[in-house]
Amino acid sequence: AQSVTQLGSHVSVSEGALVLLRCNYSSSVPPYLFWYVQYPNQGLQLLLKYTSAATLVKGINGFEAEFKKSETSFHLTKPSAHMSDAAEYFCAVSTNSGGSNYKLTFGKGTLLTVNP
Amino acid sequence: GAGVSQSPSNKVTEKGKDVELRCDPISGHTALYWYRQSLGQGLEFLIYFQGNSAPDKSGLPSDRFSAERTGGSVSTLTIQRTQQEDSAVYLCASSLMLLVGDTQYFGPGTRLTVL
């Protein structure tokens, strides 16, 4: 079975500060990992994904994430927060294992607040 | 190009009524997925389609839930005899192919409120 843990349901940063959103996964087979962002009353938008190529993945809006197998982590970072980054962020995992291989299993989400 | 669309955007219904939620995937996408987002349970996978076929219905929360897809395109999620615990945002997604790791593109969701 696969699972995702996002540490911190709410993260608050100042504009211009580093953004770090934490994600740890559990999987018995190599995972595919995703970060999605959700703005209020909207659907989910893909920020970036890891599919076993480069361990450092760059996404949209200046975000990047690094896959660390030894730590089973896929933390999301951005060097300098903008007010427009305020949203909820979801980490998700998908694996090629038994059961519903194609589903995304999501973490509980992290609400990012950016203070002026 | 057009993204995934869902209708209605909001639905308020009375307990015990049936509801139908519609999803129009991105043109040419063969795989379609339904998820549910609620405060208590977070984002849960419900069902996926490859073409018109849904090989695994085990994610549906009860037999009051059913889904179909016709013509390899539009999908409908039906909830019979709605209960208050069915209140949630129902999200639809599509991907080009049914491949692990393929990007799933999400629609804006249907917010269902059961009174």
Side-chain angles (χ1 to χ4, degrees), chain A residues 21-99:
Chain A
L21 304 182
R22 299 179 186 275
C23 172
N24 288 89
Y25 68 91
S26 174
S27 172
S28 59
V29 297
Y32 296 87
L33 294 159
F34 305 79
W35 275 101
Y36 282 86
V37 61
Q38 187 176 35
Y39 298 100
N41 300 314
Q42 295 188 26
L44 300 169
Q45 179 183 7
L46 181 72
L47 280 176
L48 48 81
K49 69 177 183 180
Y50 166 76
T51 57
S52 77
T55 56
L56 182 62
V57 182
K58 295 187 183 298
I60 62 171
N61 302 339
F63 285 94
E64 63 181 38
E66 185 172 9
F67 172 70
K68 291 187 177 180
K69 183 178 178 180
S70 61
E71 299 178 8
T72 61
S73 70
F74 190 57
H75 301 329
L76 182 70
T77 60
K78 181 174 180 177
S80 176
H82 295 164
M83 297 295 291
S84 60
D85 294 328
E88 191 155 22
Y89 292 80
F90 293 92
C91 182
V93 64
S94 180
T95 62
N96 197 356
S97 62

Side-chain angles (χ1 to χ4, degrees), chain A residues 32 36 38 43 49 100 102 104, chain B residues 35 37 56 100-101 103-104 107:
Chain A
Y32 296 87
Y36 282 86
Q38 187 176 35
K49 69 177 183 180
S100 284
Y102 311 103
L104 292 172
Chain B
Y35 293 83
Q37 185 174 26
D56 183 359
V100 179
T103 298
Q104 296 183 22

Side-chain angles (χ1 to χ4, degrees), chain B residues 2 16 18 29-30 37 44 52 56 60 65 71 83 87 90 94 97-99 105 110-111 114:
Chain B
D18 297 352
H29 280 197
T30 61
Q37 185 174 26
E44 305 171 273
N52 294 332
D56 183 359
L60 295 175
F65 286 71
Q83 304 294 312
S87 295
Y90 290 82
S94 69
M97 301 180 68
L98 190 67
L99 283 176
Y105 297 88
T110 293
R111 181 176 299 276
V114 182

